[in-house]
């Protein structure tokens, strides 16, 4: 840090700035006596000499009458010293010193060499000897010398007149400067008093500054260490800067290349814009055509579904599990279709032998063969993907606004839950109809969104256990409070049904659906039965509410997709003795069979076009009321076991499914606005 500047120095600086600049003195010689004489006095002083020269003889010397003129180089110093002495008497030693310093700083003008009077203009003689004195009798020579001397004096006089004029100009300038200096002197005297006071204050400040200087020196030593570190960092940064500079040069070269490419790309973009405009017009035309084709596809698709029947029945036979006995050959047969082995099977034959029957010879009676025909039959080797491929178009009808209901029917252990939800372990090949159906709907909705359609999905999952509705998606303290859930109308005059106190979860991806299915498996009521180690003792109903809108065309649609996993349909044995622990299972079985019987009655009533359909006889049919009516599309999976010990239950399931397959409800209608 610089120490604080003294006020005295600031005043001196201001004085030197305000002082007018003194003109440089003349280059002509100037004596102290001639400064006070006027030009006319100088000319009078020369006249006696001229007269005296004319009256003298040849021996008279003119050089004796001219005083010795000082050199011009001494004039500025004499004048400056005189001015400095005058100012110093009035302004004091400090101001006079400043003024004298300003005068000394002026550069002296080089003197003009002047020939002294009386010297001869004759060049010196060879050898450096002075010219010899003319003899007294050589008057003519002396006259010539005097004439030459007179000529030189006249030239000298002209020169002195010019110098006199210049000196007068300088005198006027000096007088003006003297006036300015007088004014400045008075100003400086006033400033001097202030400066003296400021000087005393400056002395005190100087003491303080010295203390500050000591402190700053200590800080300086610390800062020097930091400076060294910073210098090291500076060297590193310089190296880095050189590296960055090289990179910058490389980037600039690449930028120039990119600019050249950009200019060519802009030309291409301009042509592409023209092509895009043409393509946009063509795209709008094709979108309109695509919309028409989509409407035609939906119409033909739904017409195809109607030709297949509003109630379709698929039969699926599960494979034999490890540890189970191998069924006898010929127990289940899958005859080929009309087109041969290449056609998907649609028929199934079940052979049943009755040991109580016999022939007259005592031999056992031949087995009885029961033939059934359905819309599609899946042998034990059919995979989950093959099953879903057959119902994918039916599931897609829900996006078109048609209510769709798919339920799995069969005895305990026949593979209903596996068909609907899939197997454990998260194997993609074992995924059931529920995750596959939602993945398919999400994919198709994403494709339709490119055509201006938007869809939203809301999922719910409940079970009906002993005619009590329970929420399978309940979490926390809401678990086990199924009695609080009731089936109600969504609003006055509304045909839509809703379950009170049940969770309705918006879903948009597969992971959200997987989390809901995992939670539902944990909450579902299961128990060990005579038919299965872990049997579902309730009907589970997964419902997906679909809302679609096509804003550009002003179309709206809404529908529900119901995927139902029914409880086991095994019959009760009246002669079976039950202990106290089996009575609860008995009540569960009675409730299950009652609801399944009601489901059959509802389907038969719809097929016979009866005026009264007993929906309210069961919570299951009441909840599925809008998915079982004439405007809905239904599909039943009848699941049977391949084991010989389950032939009786399998035969009952096939007979029930065959009756359902013969029902014709009516033409389905889309829910559009």
């Amino acid at each position: 840090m610089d120490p604080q500047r003294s006020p005295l120095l600031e005043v001196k600086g201001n004085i030197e700035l305000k002082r007018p600049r003194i003109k440089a003195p003349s280059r002509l010689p100037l004596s102290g006596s001639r400064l006070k004489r006027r030009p006319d006095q100088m000319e009078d002083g020369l006249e006696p000499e001229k007269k005296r020269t004319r009256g003298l003889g040849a021996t008279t010397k003119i050089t004796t009458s001219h005083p010795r003129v000082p050199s011009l180089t001494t004039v500025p110093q004499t004048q400056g010293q005189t001015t400095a002495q005058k100012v110093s008497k009035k302004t004091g030693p400090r101001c006079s010193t400043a003024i004298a310093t300003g005068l000394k700083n002026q550069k002296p003008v080089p003197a003009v060499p002047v020939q002294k009077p009386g010297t001869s203009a004759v060049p010196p003689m060879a050898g450096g000897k002075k010219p010899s004195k003319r003899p007294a009798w050589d008057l003519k020579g002396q006259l010539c010398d005097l004439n030459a001397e007179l000529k030189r004096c006249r030239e000298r006089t002209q020169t002195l007149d010019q110098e006199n004029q210049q000196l007068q100009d300088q005198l006027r300038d000096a007088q003006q400067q003297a006036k300015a200096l007088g004014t400045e002197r008075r100003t400086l005297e006033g400033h001097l008093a202030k400066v003296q006071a400021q000087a005393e204050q400056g002395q005190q400040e100087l003491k303080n500054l010295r203390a500050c200087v000591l402190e700053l020196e200590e800080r300086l030593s610390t800062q020097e260490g930091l400076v060294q570190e910073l210098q090291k960092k500076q060297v590193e940064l310089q190296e880095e800067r050189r590296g960055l500079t090289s990179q910058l040069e490389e980037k600039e070269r690449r930028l120039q290349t990119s600019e050249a490419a950009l200019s060519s790309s802009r030309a291409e973009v301009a042509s592409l814009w023209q092509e895009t405009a043409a393509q946009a017009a063509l795209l709008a035309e094709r979108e309109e055509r695509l919309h028409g084709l989509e409407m035609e596809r939906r119409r033909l698709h739904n017409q195809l579904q109607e030709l297949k029947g509003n109630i379709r029945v698929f039969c699926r036979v599960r494979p034999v599990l490890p540890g189970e006995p191998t069924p006898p050959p010929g127990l289940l047969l899958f005859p080929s279709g009309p087109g041969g082995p290449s056609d998907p099977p649609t028929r199934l034959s079940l052979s049943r032998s009755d040991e109580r029957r016999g022939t007259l010879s005592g031999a056992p009676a031949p087995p009885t063969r029961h033939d059934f025909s359905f819309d599609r039959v899946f042998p034990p080797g059919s995979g989950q993907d093959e099953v879903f491929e057959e119902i994918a178009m039916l599931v897609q009808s829900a996006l078109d606004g048609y209510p769709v209901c798919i339920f799995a029917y069969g005895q305990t252990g026949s593979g209903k839950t596996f068909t609907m939800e899939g197997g454990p372990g998260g194997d993609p090949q074992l995924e059931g109809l529920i995750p596959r159906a939602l993945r398919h709907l999400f994919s198709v909705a994403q494709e339709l969104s490119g055509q201006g359609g938007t869809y939203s999905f809301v999922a719910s999952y409940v079970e009906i256990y002993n005619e009590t509705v329970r929420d399978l998606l309940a979490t926390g303290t809401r678990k086990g409070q199924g009695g609080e859930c009731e089936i109600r109308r969504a609003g006055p005059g509304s045909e839509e049904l809703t379950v009170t106190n049940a969770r309705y979860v918006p879903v948009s991806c597969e992971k959200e659906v997987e989390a809901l299915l995992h939670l539902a498996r944990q909450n579902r009521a299961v128990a060990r039965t005579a038919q299965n180690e872990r049997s579902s003792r309730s009907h589970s109903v997964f419902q997906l509410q679909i809302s679609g809108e096509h804003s550009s065309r002003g179309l709206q649609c809404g529908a529900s997709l119901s995927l139902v996993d029914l409880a086991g349909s095994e019959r009760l044995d009246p002669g079976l003795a039950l202990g106290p622990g089996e009575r609860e299972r008995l009540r569960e079985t009675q409730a299950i069979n009652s609801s399944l019987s009601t489901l059959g009655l509802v389907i038969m009533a719809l097929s016979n076009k009866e005026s009264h359909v007993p929906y309210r006889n069961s919570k299951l049919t009441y909840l599925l009321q809008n998915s079982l009516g004439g405007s809905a599309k239904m599909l039943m999976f009848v699941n049977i076991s391949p084991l010989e010990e389950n032939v009786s239950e399998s035969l009952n399931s096939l007979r029930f499914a065959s009756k359902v397959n013969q029902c014709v409800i009516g033409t389905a209608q889309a829910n559009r606005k």
Side-chain angles (χ1 to χ4, degrees):
M1 295 179 58
D2 294 333
Q4 186 177 1
R5 187 176 180 182
S6 174
L8 180 60
L9 297 178
E10 293 179 357
V11 173
K12 287 182 178 181
N14 295 334
I15 293 172
E16 292 177 359
L17 292 174
K18 293 180 180 180
R19 182 174 57 84
R21 187 179 300 274
I22 301 175
K23 294 184 177 180
S26 174
R27 297 184 181 182
L28 299 178
L30 179 63
S31 63
S33 61
R34 289 196 178 187
L35 285 174
K36 299 180 181 180
R37 296 177 61 183
R38 295 189 299 272
D40 54 347
Q41 293 176 352
M42 296 177 66
E43 293 176 359
D44 295 340
L46 293 175
E47 288 298 329
E49 292 179 358
K50 295 178 181 179
K51 294 178 180 181
R52 211 180 300 125
T53 302
R54 294 173 183 175
L56 292 175
T59 61
T60 305
K61 294 181 181 180
I62 302 174
T63 58
T64 58
S65 62
H66 293 280
R68 187 179 183 89
V69 182
S71 175
L72 183 60
T73 56
T74 61
V75 176
Q77 183 176 4
T78 306
Q79 186 177 357
Q81 291 176 356
T82 306
T83 307
Q85 290 175 1
K86 289 180 181 181
V87 175
S88 63
K89 292 179 181 181
K90 296 180 181 181
T91 61
R94 296 182 179 178
C95 294
S96 63
T97 304
I99 297 171
T101 305
L103 293 174
K104 289 179 180 180
N105 291 335
Q106 296 181 356
K107 295 182 181 180
V109 180
V112 178
V114 179
Q115 186 178 4
K116 294 182 180 181
T119 58
S120 175
V122 180
M125 297 186 65
K129 296 182 180 181
K130 295 182 180 180
S132 61
K133 191 175 182 181
R134 292 182 182 274
W137 53 264
D138 191 4
L139 296 177
K140 187 175 180 178
Q142 292 179 2
L143 182 60
C144 290
D145 293 340
L146 290 175
N147 288 333
E149 183 70 18
L150 178 61
K151 184 177 180 180
R152 286 193 299 272
C153 289
R154 287 177 179 174
E155 292 176 355
R156 174 66 175 172
T157 301
Q158 291 178 359
T159 302
L160 291 175
D161 289 340
Q162 294 176 359
E163 292 177 359
N164 185 27
Q165 184 64 33
Q166 292 178 359
L167 290 174
Q168 287 179 1
D169 295 339
Q170 293 178 3
L171 178 61
R172 284 192 296 272
D173 294 340
Q175 288 176 353
Q176 292 177 359
Q177 292 178 5
K179 291 180 181 180
L181 289 174
T183 304
E184 186 177 358
R185 178 183 61 81
R186 289 188 294 272
T187 304
L188 293 175
E189 287 176 353
H191 286 310
L192 180 60
K194 296 180 181 179
V195 168
Q196 290 176 351
Q198 293 177 356
E200 296 177 358
Q201 183 179 359
Q203 292 294 332
Q204 184 64 31
E205 293 178 355
L206 181 60
K207 294 179 181 179
N208 298 335
L209 291 175
R210 287 175 178 172
C212 293
V213 166
L214 296 177
E215 181 181 357
L216 292 175
E217 287 178 350
E218 295 178 358
R219 293 175 60 185
L220 179 61
S221 61
T222 305
Q223 296 295 331
E224 287 177 351
L226 296 176
V227 167
Q228 294 178 356
E229 296 180 1
L230 292 176
Q231 288 177 349
K232 294 180 181 178
K233 292 182 179 179
Q234 183 182 7
V235 174
E236 297 175 357
L237 291 175
Q238 288 177 351
E239 294 294 333
E240 185 178 358
R241 182 180 63 84
R242 284 192 288 270
L244 292 176
T245 302
S246 60
Q247 293 180 8
L248 179 61
E249 293 175 354
E250 179 65 21
K251 296 292 184 182
E252 287 179 350
R253 288 193 296 269
R254 294 176 59 184
L255 179 60
Q256 293 176 357
T257 306
S258 300
E259 287 178 350
L262 179 61
S263 60
S264 61
S265 298
R266 286 176 177 172
E268 295 179 1
V269 167
S271 62
L272 289 176
W273 272 113
Q274 297 177 356
E275 295 179 3
T276 302
Q279 293 292 336
L282 182 60
L283 180 62
E285 179 182 354
R286 292 190 175 181
E287 283 182 354
E288 186 68 24
R289 182 181 178 185
L290 180 61
H291 177 72
L293 293 176
E294 178 66 19
M295 293 297 102
E296 181 67 14
R297 183 200 65 78
R298 293 184 180 184
R299 186 185 66 81
L300 294 176
H301 165 70
N302 292 294
Q303 185 177 359
L304 176 62
Q305 298 297 324
E306 292 168 4
L307 292 175
K308 292 181 178 180
N310 283 356
I311 299 181
R312 302 168 62 191
V313 179
F314 290 170
C315 178
R316 185 178 189 185
V317 182
R318 73 167 177 85
V320 179
L321 301 178
E324 293 181 341
T326 303
L331 179 64
L332 288 173
L333 299 176
F334 304 94
S336 301
S342 60
D343 284 354
T346 59
R347 293 184 299 168
L348 177 142
S349 296
L350 176 64
S351 299
R352 179 183 181 183
S353 60
D354 192 352
E355 297 178 355
R356 293 174 297 180
R357 297 174 57 193
T359 61
L360 295 176
S361 62
T368 304
R369 180 175 178 178
H370 302 274
D371 296 328
F372 298 94
S373 178
F374 301 103
D375 294 285
R376 178 70 189 272
V377 176
F378 296 98
S382 301
Q384 296 280 64
D385 52 349
E386 183 181 353
V387 174
F388 177 75
E389 184 180 358
E390 188 66 27
I391 69 167
M393 300 304 293
L394 179 63
V395 171
Q396 188 173 341
S397 297
L399 290 177
D400 299 335
Y402 292 90
V404 177
C405 181
I406 302 175
F407 48 89
Y409 176 86
Q411 72 177 105
T412 299
S414 60
K416 301 184 303 298
T417 304
F418 177 82
T419 299
M420 300 304 293
E421 296 184 6
D427 187 357
Q429 298 297 329
L430 302 180
E431 286 182 339
L433 299 184
I434 295 178
R436 290 176 184 269
L438 268 69
R439 183 188 304 116
H440 181 69
L441 290 177
F442 293 153
S443 176
V444 175
Q446 183 68 24
E447 293 177 0
L448 294 178
S449 64
Q451 302 177 12
T454 57
Y455 291 89
S456 61
F457 305 91
V458 179
S460 64
Y461 210 166
V462 298
E463 71 171 352
I464 301 174
Y465 176 76
N466 286 344
E467 290 301 305
T468 301
V469 181
R470 300 172 56 185
D471 185 12
L472 293 180
L473 302 182
T475 57
T477 59
R478 297 180 63 249
K479 286 186 177 181
Q481 298 179 357
E484 299 180 1
C485 296
E486 296 292 338
I487 303 173
R488 295 284 187 270
R489 297 285 181 183
S494 174
E495 296 295 331
E496 182 180 356
L497 296 175
T498 183
V499 180
T500 61
N501 298 327
R503 288 182 62 197
Y504 287 85
V505 183
V507 291
S508 58
C509 62
E510 302 174 23
K511 293 184 178 179
E512 296 176 353
V513 176
E514 293 176 0
L516 296 180
L517 294 178
H518 179 71
L519 179 61
R521 292 191 194 101
Q522 296 177 346
N523 295 337
R524 190 172 182 185
V526 294
R528 178 177 180 178
T529 64
Q531 302 292 332
N532 194 6
E533 180 69 20
R534 181 177 175 84
S535 174
S536 300
R537 308 305 298 160
S538 63
H539 309 298
S540 67
V541 181
F542 179 88
Q543 287 187 317
L544 185 69
Q545 302 295 332
I546 304 173
S547 299
E549 181 180 4
H550 200 296
S551 57
S552 62
R553 301 186 182 276
L555 299 178
Q556 293 182 352
C557 65
S560 64
L561 173 65
S562 300
L563 302 172
V564 185
D565 179 13
L566 298 175
S569 61
E570 58 270 11
R571 294 176 300 170
L572 291 174
D573 188 354
L576 182 63
L578 298 177
E582 298 296 329
R583 293 177 182 176
E584 182 66 26
R585 302 282 85 80
L586 176 61
R587 286 193 295 269
E588 291 177 355
T589 304
Q590 290 174 345
I592 291 171
N593 290 337
S594 175
S595 61
L596 292 178
S597 299
T598 304
L599 177 61
L601 293 175
V602 167
I603 294 176
M604 295 303 295
L606 292 172
S607 176
N608 296 331
K609 304 295 188 296
E610 296 180 3
S611 59
H612 174 69
V613 180
Y615 289 117
R616 292 181 177 269
N617 289 359
S618 171
K619 292 291 183 66
L620 175 64
T621 55
Y622 186 37
L623 179 61
L624 298 176
Q625 178 177 349
N626 294 330
S627 299
L628 298 176
S631 62
K633 296 182 179 182
M634 287 184 291
L635 173 65
M636 173 188 286
F637 274 98
V638 54
N639 296 79
I640 62 174
S641 172
L643 303 180
E644 185 179 9
E645 61 184 15
N646 297 328
V647 168
S648 178
E649 293 295 339
S650 298
L651 186 59
N652 291 331
S653 298
L654 291 172
R655 286 172 178 171
F656 177 79
S658 181
K659 290 181 181 179
V660 172
N661 196 28
Q662 295 175 3
C663 296
V664 177
I665 296 178
T667 304
Q669 296 179 358
N671 183 15
R672 296 178 182 172
K673 299 178 182 179

